[in-house]
Amino acid sequence: MGLGKAHSDPFTVARSKLCRAEGGKTGDWRSSRPEIDRSKCIPSKTGRKSCFLCWMYCPEGIVSKTIPVEIDYDFCKGCGICAEECPVGAIAMVDENGRD
Ligand code: SF4
Ligand code: SF4
């Protein structure tokens, strides 16, 4: 059996399109959540629509591209990618239960 058309075409690449909140509502299992320090966040500080790396990298697509940036906690999984990618350290992962 031969390969399908997509596999035999060297110019076809795999890609995915982000869908908002595809993972569904998070419920109560999340152990930590991201909190944005608006005094550090570039759009809030400058009043310009710039940066938005958190919006770009969030796998759930639930960070807004607005000023200020907002996170929809109903769907946030607490993965911490946004905090890792923020270039100015404006996002801290905070324990949901107040533990250190
Ligand atoms: S912790 Fe993960 S799911 Fe939540 S806003 Fe950041 S990147 Fe998105
Ligand atoms: S990545 Fe950091 S600085 Fe950039 S918009 Fe998000 S929170 Fe603000």
Side-chain angles (χ1 to χ4, degrees):
M1 184 187 294
L3 292 172
K5 186 175 185 303
H7 293 101
S8 61
D9 179 353
F11 300 107
T12 299
V13 294
R15 64 179 182 181
S16 61
K17 191 174 175 188
L18 181 65
C19 293
R20 186 178 181 281
E22 203 169 37
K25 283 203 171 186
T26 303
D28 62 1
W29 57 263
R30 187 179 61 217
S31 59
S32 61
R33 68 182 183 281
E35 288 193 351
I36 300 175
D37 181 343
R38 302 203 193 291
S39 69
K40 293 181 182 173
C41 177
I42 293 167
S44 290
K45 267 181 77 174
T46 63
R48 291 171 175 241
K49 289 196 163 187
S50 58
C51 186
F52 296 125
L53 289 178
C54 50
W55 166 83
M56 190 166 84
Y57 281 100
C58 174
E60 288 294 303
I62 49 83
V63 179
S64 73
K65 202 176 180 184
T66 55
I67 304 173
V69 173
E70 303 282 357
I71 294 169
D72 189 337
Y73 290 111
D74 282 347
F75 298 96
C76 170
K77 302 294 180 287
C79 66
I81 293 173
C82 53
E84 286 291 322
E85 296 297 335
C86 178
V88 294
I91 304 178
M93 296 304 292
V94 176
D95 193 290
E96 290 281 8
N97 303 308
R99 296 184 300 253
D100 287 333

